Amino acid sequence: CGSALPAHGAFWTWSTAVLPRNDALAILQEYNPDPRSLQHAEASEAVLRALAGHFGEDGAPWGMAGLLHDVDYPATENTPEQHGTRAMQILAGRLPQEALAAIQAHNSECTGVEPQSRLDFALRAGETVTGLISAAALMRPTGMEGMEVKSIKKKMKDKAFAASVNRDRIRECEKAGLPLDDFLRIAITAMTPR
């Protein structure tokens, strides 16, 4: 499953407790109550938990990184350089450092904090692919049911389809150690029950 990637900081551990999901949802509702944002957050959580399972990682911190990565979005919509950094401040002490670092790095284009760890790249690719898959599901009479990797790859090539979805970010799954086809299969499978 790819080589191990360096983590942010020299001495982090997963020993920091992970926020219980109900508490995380309450925080998300407080800071970012928009229903579409909640759907995106839950889809991102599902994809990140599935990726954690694939890599043999603990699904709880990965899932919480997916669920809470945009907690600060309403407050930072007009100051994108703060998006991710403000979320780290809101969530400090509630998530392991690697999850906080991934949340900050998911917006590296604006924060200047480059992704380094497997989780960083997984979050960037995972939260981004949810937009493409959700848009594709809306175009299908059966929604998510029966969706195939080849149809999502075809949508990736169509620059006009879900034009705001950054295809290069989705391809960062390879920097996390996962080929695109496998990544898309995992993401589709994770999102289908949602």
Side-chain angles (χ1 to χ4, degrees), residues 115-132:
Q116 298 176 28
S117 73
R118 175 175 278 161
L119 176 54
D120 294 353
F121 290 111
L123 179 58
R124 285 173 56 82
E127 72 96 4
T128 303
V129 79
T130 64
L132 189 69

Side-chain angles (χ1 to χ4, degrees), residues 75-137:
T76 61
E77 187 172 5
N78 296 320
T79 53
E81 69 281 359
Q82 294 178 14
H83 177 48
T85 301
R86 181 107 181 251
M88 271 187 67
Q89 294 165 351
I90 292 167
L91 300 169
R94 297 175 174 173
L95 293 178
Q97 183 57 39
E98 189 181 32
L100 294 173
I103 288 171
Q104 188 176 30
H106 97 275
N107 185 29
S108 67
E109 294 82 0
C110 295
T111 63
V113 176
E114 293 300 318
Q116 298 176 28
S117 73
R118 175 175 278 161
L119 176 54
D120 294 353
F121 290 111
L123 179 58
R124 285 173 56 82
E127 72 96 4
T128 303
V129 79
T130 64
L132 189 69
I133 292 172
S134 295

Side-chain angles (χ1 to χ4, degrees), residues 13-31:
T13 68
W14 283 114
S15 62
T16 303
V18 175
L19 187 66
R21 188 171 193 276
N22 286 340
D23 293 350
L25 287 171
I27 291 169
L28 193 57
Q29 286 288 342
E30 177 185 347
Y31 286 94

